[in-house]
Amino acid sequence: MDPTTDNAGYTGDPGKARASLEALRAEIAKAVVGQDPAVTGLVVALLCRGHVLLEGVPGVAKTLLVRALASALELETKRVQFTPDLMPSDVTGSLVYDTHTAKFSFQQGPVFTNLLLADEINRTPPKTQSSLLEAMEERQVTVDGTPRPLPDPFLVAATQNPVEYEGTYPLPEAQLDRFLLKLTIPLPSRQDEINVLTRHAEGFNPRDLHTAGVRPVAGPADLEAARAAVAKTTISPEITAYVVDICRATRESPSLTLGVSPRGATALLATSRAWAWLTGRDYVIPDDVKALALPTLRHRVQLRPEAEMEGVTADSVINAILAHVPVPR
């Protein structure tokens, strides 16, 4: 049965699930040009039940990317524009008094969805930023002492602008650590930008993905089958030790004031496992760890001010560590 026409046809087969998730790239490419690494990162996050921080200048299709992913996976998505006056209840929901019943009833906030796009999360104060922490960590929202579970799958894709600092509230390290991956969305190449403009000249409407031809190629059943298969992917003791050595090296780097925590090491092991499965293997190799090291670790380290002034970046420090830590054979 064609998975693009009937979601009831999903069988939960791991091989079929992998093929369906691989088809996401081609499907999302109908709407978003040249962002394959970001698409892969979002799929890895879904497989690991993690969350993603998207960083890029305005206008590089961060919002469109999340919407296209939701359409291709047949998942519900909602968007919240974070502003300085946004309240926690605007995200999580609140109790509303019903004059007909003379009782309070809970009105769900936008966090009750599968893919939540938290746009410009660093523009809202820490109190509202922290309202997402329980949702991200516990996958529930507690209002008036009552825990309310969120849908599954649930992923927060938060965007932040790297060039505007005025009127922003940088995410604290403890909250950054809750994001599984930090994906950078680069400006397109010249040819990709020509392709984008050509599509718009031909009538492409980013607000109408159905007309653009984006169709569901996978669904929640495929994600569940894929997660079960990822959990069975073999990790040798040597790979585990390799991950630990990389993370411990960040704590000893003279360029960093903050290295990767054990939570970060666990995250790197999980993302490497998901990537290994996506590439068709049931075991993890060192190249899987190297492939996911930057997006998994770059937001979990903090540069020394003097190193930052010299042009050192988190990515360059991690790359240097990958080049020096012995690779298991």
Side-chain angles (χ1 to χ4, degrees):
M1 184 175 291
D2 184 356
T4 66
T5 58
D6 191 348
N7 194 35
Y10 294 138
T11 61
D13 175 65
K16 181 177 178 299
R18 182 189 286 120
S20 297
L21 293 177
E22 287 174 351
L24 279 175
R25 289 195 188 105
E27 202 62 27
I28 293 174
K30 294 177 182 178
V32 182
V33 176
Q35 297 292 359
D36 281 357
V39 174
T40 301
L42 286 164
V43 173
V44 167
L46 280 167
L47 292 178
C48 297
R49 289 185 168 87
H51 308 284
V52 174
L53 188 62
L54 299 171
E55 185 173 272
V57 298
V60 290
K62 297 186 293 292
T63 301
L64 181 61
L65 176 63
V66 175
R67 289 181 53 239
L69 177 69
S71 295
L73 283 173
E74 209 165 14
L75 298 174
E76 182 187 29
T77 181
K78 293 179 182 176
R79 175 179 176 272
V80 178
Q81 180 66 50
F82 279 75
T83 56
D85 60 348
L86 194 74
M87 300 296 291
S89 58
D90 295 330
V91 178
T92 60
S94 59
L95 293 176
V96 178
Y97 184 73
D98 190 335
T99 56
H100 296 290
T101 62
K103 293 182 179 179
F104 285 94
S105 60
F106 178 67
Q107 185 172 4
Q108 292 185 350
V111 75
F112 286 85
T113 187
N114 296 124
L115 269 67
L116 176 69
L117 179 63
D119 222 349
E120 295 187 302
I121 191 172
N122 56 337
R123 286 202 172 279
T124 199
K127 184 177 181 180
T128 305
Q129 289 176 2
S130 64
S131 68
L132 274 179
L133 278 180
E134 181 188 14
M136 293 169 63
E137 195 72 16
E138 306 296 334
R139 299 183 182 276
Q140 67 177 26
V141 168
T142 302
V143 177
D144 196 33
T146 304
R148 304 173 194 275
L150 296 171
D152 185 43
F154 173 69
L155 178 143
V156 174
T159 71
Q160 64 177 14
N161 186 344
V163 296
E164 293 181 12
Y165 297 105
E166 188 175 345
T168 62
Y169 304 82
L171 293 172
E173 286 74 21
Q175 188 163 348
L176 282 171
D177 207 28
R178 296 313 200 275
F179 286 96
L180 181 72
L181 299 171
K182 179 181 177 182
L183 305 176
T184 55
I185 311 295
L187 288 166
S189 65
R190 181 176 182 273
Q191 186 56 53
D192 283 343
E193 195 162 1
I194 290 173
N195 293 341
V196 169
L197 267 62
T198 301
R199 289 186 180 189
H200 280 267
E202 293 172 350
F204 170 70
N205 182 0
R207 295 173 181 81
D208 188 358
L209 295 178
H210 184 77
T211 303
V214 179
R215 300 287 186 271
V217 294
D222 291 293
L223 279 176
E224 280 305 312
R227 286 169 173 175
V230 168
K232 296 176 182 176
T233 302
T234 304
I235 303 173
S236 68
E238 291 78 14
I239 292 295
T240 302
Y242 181 51
V243 170
V244 168
D245 289 343
I246 290 171
C247 294
R248 290 181 69 85
T250 65
R251 301 168 203 163
E252 299 166 2
S253 171
S255 299
L256 302 176
T257 59
L258 179 70
V260 178
S261 68
R263 181 192 283 126
T266 303
L268 180 55
L269 199 65
T271 56
S272 302
R273 205 178 201 182
W275 175 245
W277 181 82
L278 276 174
T279 52
R281 278 179 280 101
D282 60 357
Y283 57 91
V284 181
I285 61 175
D287 283 349
D288 299 324
V289 178
K290 290 181 178 180
L292 272 297
L294 285 180
T296 308
L297 303 182
R298 59 164 58 109
H299 57 297
R300 302 174 192 272
V301 299
Q302 189 172 20
L303 289 167
R304 292 187 182 279
E306 55 269 29
E308 203 165 1
M309 290 176 64
E310 292 172 1
V312 176
T313 65
D315 284 13
S316 64
V317 172
I318 294 169
N319 279 326
I321 287 171
L322 291 174
H324 286 91
V325 172
V327 180
R329 296 184 180 276

